[in-house]
Amino acid sequence: MWGMIATWRMALEGITKGAELLENGKCAGDAIEEAIKEVEDFPYYKSVGYGGLPNEEMEVELDAAYMDGDTLDVGCVAAIKDFKNPISIARRLSIEKVNSMLVGAGAEKFAHKEGFERKNMLSDRAKIHYENKIKKLKKEDIVPYDGHDTVGMVSLDKNRKMVVGTSTSGLFMKKKGRVGDSPIAGSGFYVDSEIGGVTATGLGEDLMKCCISYEVVRLMGEGFSPQEACDRAVSKFDAKLKSRRNKAGDMSIVAMNNKGEWGVATNIEGFSFAVVTENEPPKVYLTKIINNKCVHEVASKEWLDDYMKTRTMPLERK
Ligand code: SD4
């Protein structure tokens, strides 16, 4: 059995490419890297790679991580600027025994020395979003945009190796140097090939309070199905944050075990995700929450068409 699961509709083209690799016997790491690069390179996604929205200072600072479920190696970059594919840098770092998580200037120096491709990641479209936001600021305080479209993917190959990867520009209008959950093991991602893998998207500051990805892998290791493990973790942490702090940030997680079974849970309406397995062609699903449980429906053609139309629609300066 092989398969991939990923956060958000934007992962569809990536997992389709990853599936081809997995089907042809390539490893889970190659599938993840190629699939995430596809999302990083697509200019119309506002929260991953090129075209990602900038921080308060109009700089695109990116976070990414890669984890190998066989060796438990983890590599991460955080707040890195001006490199085309942060996921590839994270993968390269994952084989280092020390210095495997690098931030800012240190990450850039490493990437430069290793010959990774440089690119100005601020697109014209992202600049317009920034300028429009700045104009609105005369009326309101600066607050990070609360949309959240980090791409996180789990892959399983024919040899039962599992890998997880993430890539994000984090929150729009974040402070310079702000790092979310996406490059933090246990919070934004976790994988153990003997059990399964998980990745999260949502408000990083809250996801980190829960170490949610590790918790879901742990629950799967205790025998829960991916769906039960996801439902349990999201409802537990959503309730905990609400009781201790009166509110819980957005949290959505996707999981796959080493048999290719998958599960998804969220505390928001309208979460979408993409899945492919040996038995199921690449598909986008939408979740609904019914009685604290997440129910998944295949996205309609109308929904998919509308998604691409709104993403690529011309953007005007206000
Ligand atoms: C973060 N979890 O940096 C990420 C946000 C997210 O698109 O999912 N962003 O907090």
Side-chain angles (χ1 to χ4, degrees):
M1 175 60 85
W2 54 263
M4 289 185 93
I5 188 164
T7 56
W8 305 109
R9 148 67 187 93
M10 65 177 157
L12 181 64
E13 289 75 14
I15 65 155
T16 304
K17 196 167 181 186
E20 259 175 53
L21 299 175
L22 293 171
E23 194 165 24
N24 290 324
K26 291 281 188 313
C27 72
D30 289 347
I32 283 280
E33 184 179 353
E34 287 309 310
I36 291 186
K37 276 166 71 177
E38 190 82 15
V39 187
E40 289 177 336
D41 292 344
F42 190 72
Y44 289 99
Y45 296 140
K46 292 189 298 199
S47 47
V48 177
Y50 181 69
L53 294 180
N55 65 14
E56 261 184 23
E57 303 185 12
M58 209 171 82
E59 300 166 326
V60 181
E61 288 189 331
L62 301 170
D63 301 338
Y66 176 97
M67 180 167 186
D68 179 315
D70 282 1
T71 58
L72 308 180
D73 282 335
V74 175
C76 323
V77 288
I80 189 171
K81 283 190 297 192
D82 298 331
F83 279 90
K84 183 170 177 278
N85 294 114
I87 186 63
S88 301
I89 306 167
R91 183 180 188 186
R92 167 65 189 80
L93 280 167
S94 71
I95 59 173
E96 297 292 316
K97 293 297 163 245
V98 292
N99 301 311
S100 55
M101 176 168 189
L102 296 177
V103 306
E108 288 151 19
K109 190 169 179 181
F110 173 85
H112 177 69
K113 270 197 184 155
E114 292 289 318
F116 285 98
E117 188 176 341
R118 279 187 179 274
K119 180 170 179 171
N120 177 354
M121 300 299 271
L122 184 65
S123 68
D124 288 343
R125 200 174 168 87
K127 228 185 262 178
I128 297 175
H129 275 293
Y130 179 85
E131 287 163 5
N132 288 347
K133 185 83 181 171
I134 291 290
K135 278 183 202 142
K136 272 177 91 184
L137 280 182
K138 292 188 181 122
K139 295 175 222 146
E140 54 188 67
D141 280 344
I142 212 163
V143 276
Y145 161 73
D146 64 0
H148 46 82
D149 295 5
T150 292
V151 73
M153 299 190 181
V154 181
S155 71
L156 164 68
D157 70 23
K158 287 181 174 171
N159 294 321
R160 274 211 170 185
K161 178 186 175 92
M162 298 195 77
V163 168
V164 63
T166 63
S167 184
T168 188
S169 57
L171 303 181
F172 181 26
M173 292 291 177
K174 65 188 180 182
K175 291 252 177 274
K176 183 178 174 65
R178 179 265 183 193
V179 175
D181 59 304
S182 305
I184 307 296
S187 290
F189 64 92
Y190 198 80
V191 64
D192 179 338
S193 301
E194 291 181 359
I195 303 171
V198 178
T199 180
T201 176
L203 182 64
E205 284 72 2
D206 277 6
L207 291 162
M208 286 190 277
K209 293 179 176 85
C210 308
C211 297
I212 196 161
S213 293
Y214 181 77
E215 174 65 3
V216 176
V217 172
R218 191 190 69 77
L219 287 168
M220 290 194 292
E222 288 198 346
F224 290 98
S225 70
Q227 188 57 49
E228 286 165 338
C230 288
D231 280 331
R232 277 181 171 243
V234 168
S235 58
K236 173 173 132 186
F237 290 131
D238 182 67
K240 186 182 278 213
L241 292 175
K242 283 178 179 153
S243 85
R244 304 271 192 98
R245 310 169 55 82
N246 293 321
K247 59 178 183 191
D250 293 357
M251 46 176 109
S252 304
I253 47 174
V254 301
M256 184 172 274
N257 67 15
N258 64 4
K259 295 186 216 125
E261 298 161 342
W262 55 266
V264 172
T266 180
N267 65 353
I268 61 165
E269 289 299 334
F271 177 59
S272 62
F273 61 96
V275 186
V276 59
T277 69
E278 200 172 324
N279 304 325
E280 182 178 10
K283 267 188 214 142
V284 173
Y285 287 84
L286 298 169
T287 51
K288 276 194 188 144
I289 306 165
I290 301 174
N291 296 333
N292 274 338
K293 293 247 165 7
C294 287
V295 182
H296 319 303
E297 277 174 6
V298 177
S300 65
K301 176 155 184 339
E302 290 70 39
W303 187 92
L304 291 169
D305 290 347
D306 184 59
Y307 175 94
M308 222 10 123
K309 211 165 103 196
T310 51
R311 288 302 175 289
T312 54
M313 169 156 94
L315 183 63
E316 286 173 13
R317 285 200 160 78
K318 290 194 178 133

